[in-house]
Amino acid sequence: MSETLYIDGAWRPAISGETREIRCPADDSVVGVVAEAGPADTDAAIAAARRAFDGGPWRATSAVERGDLLLRVADAIDARRAEFVRAETLDTGKRPYESEIDMSDIANCFRYFGKLAAEDAGRVVDAGSPDVDSRIVYEPVGVCGLITPWNYPLLQAAWKIAPALAAGNTFVLKPAELTPHTAILLMSVLDDIGVPPGVANLVLGAGATAGAPLSSHPDVDLVSFTGGLATGKVIAREAAATVKKVALELGGKNPNVIFADACDTDERLAAAVDNALNAAFLHSGQVCSAGARLVIEESAHDRFVDELVRRAEQIRLGLPFAEGTETGPLISAAHRDKVHAYVERARAEGAVIRTGGEFAHGDQGSGDLDQGWFYLPTVIDGATRDMACVHDEAFGPTVTVETFRTEDEAVTIGNDTEYGLAGAVWSGDAARARRIAARLRHGTVWVNDFGPYLPQAEWGGFGHSGVGRELGPSGLHEYREAKHVYENLRPGVTGWFADRGEQL
Ligand code: NAD
């Protein structure tokens, strides 16, 4: 029986006794067996989080103490980095090098919110009278339900847990069912450094069973979700019944807009193509902010796309620990089928598959690809705005290519998405790049770059990419309630209603 649920400061099996095998998507090997929670387990975790919020020692901690605790979490992740890296690598199939980067970013996220916890404690408001003390104080929201996806398992959880704890909340985390191991390790870190029972809780299992109570239960005050648009809509609907605070980080279909003057020399072309390659194929495209729409000025199209195809064909797929591997598999067989169906639809709609468009087979020198869920990097040329491949998020190693002639057209295409998570503009003309950046309706816009994010900078989406922001000061405010305290220092008769001196 697997005791991997962490509820009320103790490790437990699922009440039903059910378990789930976790498999590495690179070779389908079993990498662990974990408890499969059901709604009763999640209810127990919510009850523990409620008790810890309403009573217990946690509410009495100061922001400075909570900040210090987060800094210790960061140090503990650093100290146990090898364990975290191995667990993330086995669950996701990404290279240890990429997991290393994730772990550094996660430690930095805890450090950022650790330092922010005690800053910005509120503000004094001028009420217009020396006899009034009016101030805004920030308080925790309460019990937070945190639901996260499988592509950056611990990173996405850290973006929620760090600010939730910094603000003084308690939480129940439900990570993606396919990638639970780093969340288990993080709970053991929180346990080791003495987070009081019930403050941090972990349930593992399927979304519809283990996750669903987090958006419907009346004792949850806030639900913060990162994942697909369809699931986000279900969660928002469920949460409405009890008027929870809702934060949603959903998908993206992110344009990478490239002007000819960004690739008018060999050096510039190499830089723009190289970045477009990373934008599309990093983590095999399983990135919410992937540059999955290449939007290129018509005059530069042929040269640019020829070069992109040449580079895409050189990408070395392989097993995560094999030397020479540059990117790994898709997360599951089902997900690979979904990506392939998307490519087939693009083909049927008249787009041209310049390279890829099929499962990867054989051994490119970095392990047998037939054992896992590998898909070839795919360039879909001749895409137009009416095609599904241009609008739907494939969440795989595919990039569509559209062309434009004018600045206005570039902006129209770049904004033609229901999403609005991220986008980029490349131009050798700084003024033009700024003009375009100002007109793109996305939560993050890169200029002559693609991909960087900073813990100090807000992350989130316009449109259907979500509600609210993670990271930055706004990422902390998501987990706070603002309370106005108005203190009258000289209470007296207001005279609003006349006192007529009559006896009752
Ligand atoms: P998903 O929506 O299938 O699942 C996400 C999480 O929600 C999982 O933990 C899942 O178990 C849970 N879940 C599913 N149904 C649920 C329900 N009814 N109630 C409660 N929980 C439920 O998404 P995924 O396939 O794991 O992740 C891929 C998606 O995540 C992509 O669309 C991607 O763009 C998005 N994503 C967005 C960001 C961002 O910052 N905006 C970051 C990473 C991933």
Side-chain angles (χ1 to χ4, degrees):
M1 194 163 285
S2 172
E3 302 198 341
T4 50
L5 309 183
Y6 184 70
I7 298 173
D8 212 7
W11 293 100
R12 302 186 193 178
I15 292 168
S16 67
E18 275 185 48
T19 57
R20 176 190 291 263
E21 273 182 356
I22 304 302
R23 291 172 176 271
C24 178
D27 59 6
D28 205 27
S29 59
V30 176
V31 296
V33 177
V34 299
E36 175 75 9
D41 298 289
T42 306
D43 285 353
I46 293 168
R50 187 80 260 163
R51 281 193 302 276
F53 186 79
D54 292 341
W58 181 242
R59 286 304 301 283
T61 57
S62 68
V64 172
E65 286 173 289
R66 294 195 302 270
D68 180 55
L69 185 139
L70 294 186
L71 299 182
R72 284 188 285 138
V73 173
D75 291 345
I77 291 170
D78 284 346
R80 293 174 64 180
R81 174 184 284 252
E83 245 181 295
F84 275 94
V85 166
R86 186 171 169 74
E88 201 75 305
T89 298
L90 289 172
D91 277 5
T92 60
K94 66 171 76 167
R95 290 183 293 162
Y97 174 69
E98 292 177 45
S99 302
E100 290 269 1
I101 294 171
D102 291 354
M103 294 312 138
S104 297
D105 288 355
I106 289 160
N108 285 339
C109 173
F110 277 100
R111 289 201 174 92
Y112 171 71
F113 283 110
K115 289 175 189 151
L116 200 65
E119 285 175 18
D120 188 16
R123 68 181 199 276
V124 173
V125 177
D126 183 352
S129 163
D131 297 331
V132 171
D133 185 64
S134 168
R135 58 195 183 274
I136 302 295
V137 294
Y138 296 121
E139 297 189 355
V141 176
V143 174
C144 302
L146 312 178
I147 304 172
T148 50
W150 45 258
N151 60 338
Y152 287 89
L154 194 61
L155 186 71
Q156 298 299 337
W159 288 12
K160 301 182 191 305
I161 290 172
L165 291 180
N169 299 278
T170 63
F171 73 83
V172 179
L173 170 68
K174 207 301 284 173
E177 52 272 40
L178 300 177
T179 53
H181 281 108
T182 46
I184 296 170
L185 286 175
L186 182 67
M187 291 300 137
S188 78
V189 162
L190 296 176
D191 190 67
D192 287 349
I193 64 176
V195 171
V199 171
N201 303 275
L202 174 70
V203 292
L204 307 173
T209 45
L214 296 177
S215 43
S216 58
H217 198 294
D219 278 344
V220 176
D221 301 297
L222 173 154
V223 59
S224 175
F225 168 79
T226 301
L229 175 58
T231 316
K233 288 181 182 176
V234 170
I235 285 172
R237 263 199 305 275
E238 290 287 319
T242 49
V243 197
K244 294 186 197 325
K245 293 193 174 304
V246 178
L248 302 173
E249 292 290 337
L250 308 176
K253 188 73 186 185
N254 314 291
N256 187 13
V257 177
I258 300 180
F259 283 87
D261 61 11
C263 35
D264 53 4
T265 65
D266 288 348
E267 199 182 342
R268 287 196 215 229
L269 178 71
V273 168
D274 187 70
N275 278 270
L277 197 78
N278 296 351
F281 301 123
L282 178 81
H283 195 13
S284 294
Q286 301 169 115
V287 180
C288 53
S289 53
R293 282 180 82 190
L294 179 69
V295 182
I296 178 114
E297 190 166 353
E298 198 177 79
S299 59
H301 169 275
D302 294 356
R303 212 167 149 231
F304 194 99
V305 178
D306 286 351
E307 194 57 10
L308 185 70
V309 168
R310 185 183 74 78
R311 292 286 311 273
E313 288 175 347
Q314 292 176 7
I315 292 176
R316 179 84 62 90
L317 303 176
L319 270 65
F321 294 102
E323 206 170 318
T325 293
E326 290 180 325
T327 196
L330 299 184
I331 192 67
S332 65
H335 185 53
R336 184 172 67 166
D337 287 345
K338 194 181 128 197
V339 171
H340 188 55
Y342 163 98
V343 173
E344 286 297 292
R345 180 157 181 202
R347 212 191 296 266
E349 284 176 323
V352 180
I353 311 301
R354 289 282 302 269
T355 188
E358 53 187 289
F359 295 4
H361 295 292
D363 189 334
Q364 302 181 354
S366 301
D368 178 6
L369 304 184
D370 287 291
Q371 291 174 30
W373 321 123
F374 292 89
Y375 200 82
L376 291 176
T378 299
V379 177
I380 304 173
D381 202 359
T384 51
R385 285 164 57 199
D386 51 321
M387 294 180 184
C389 63
V390 162
H391 296 288
D392 296 347
E393 188 190 40
F395 219 55
T398 66
V399 58
T400 59
V401 183
E402 297 159 84
T403 56
F404 67 87
R405 287 187 184 169
T406 64
E407 276 189 31
D408 280 348
E409 209 184 342
V411 170
T412 304
I413 293 174
N415 285 338
D416 185 23
T417 168
E418 65 178 332
Y419 294 110
L421 187 60
V425 54
W426 286 73
S427 174
D429 175 344
R432 166 145 74 185
R434 284 191 181 180
R435 273 197 304 276
I436 304 294
R439 294 175 67 191
L440 288 176
R441 302 270 304 154
H442 300 275
T444 295
V445 176
W446 294 288
V447 177
N448 294 335
D449 209 323
F450 202 104
Y453 72 92
L454 304 166
Q456 313 90 287
E458 274 74 358
W459 177 266
F462 288 23
H464 289 189
S465 285
V467 175
R469 290 292 180 272
E470 296 198 299
L471 302 179
S474 308
L476 179 59
H477 280 295
E478 293 282 346
Y479 293 90
R480 284 171 156 180
E481 293 278 17
K483 179 190 277 184
H484 179 199
V485 180
Y486 181 102
E487 193 176 353
N488 190 342
L489 307 173
R490 282 167 65 110
V493 172
T494 67
W496 184 268
F497 295 109
D499 181 348
R500 298 189 172 81
E502 291 162 8
Q503 296 290 330
L504 280 176

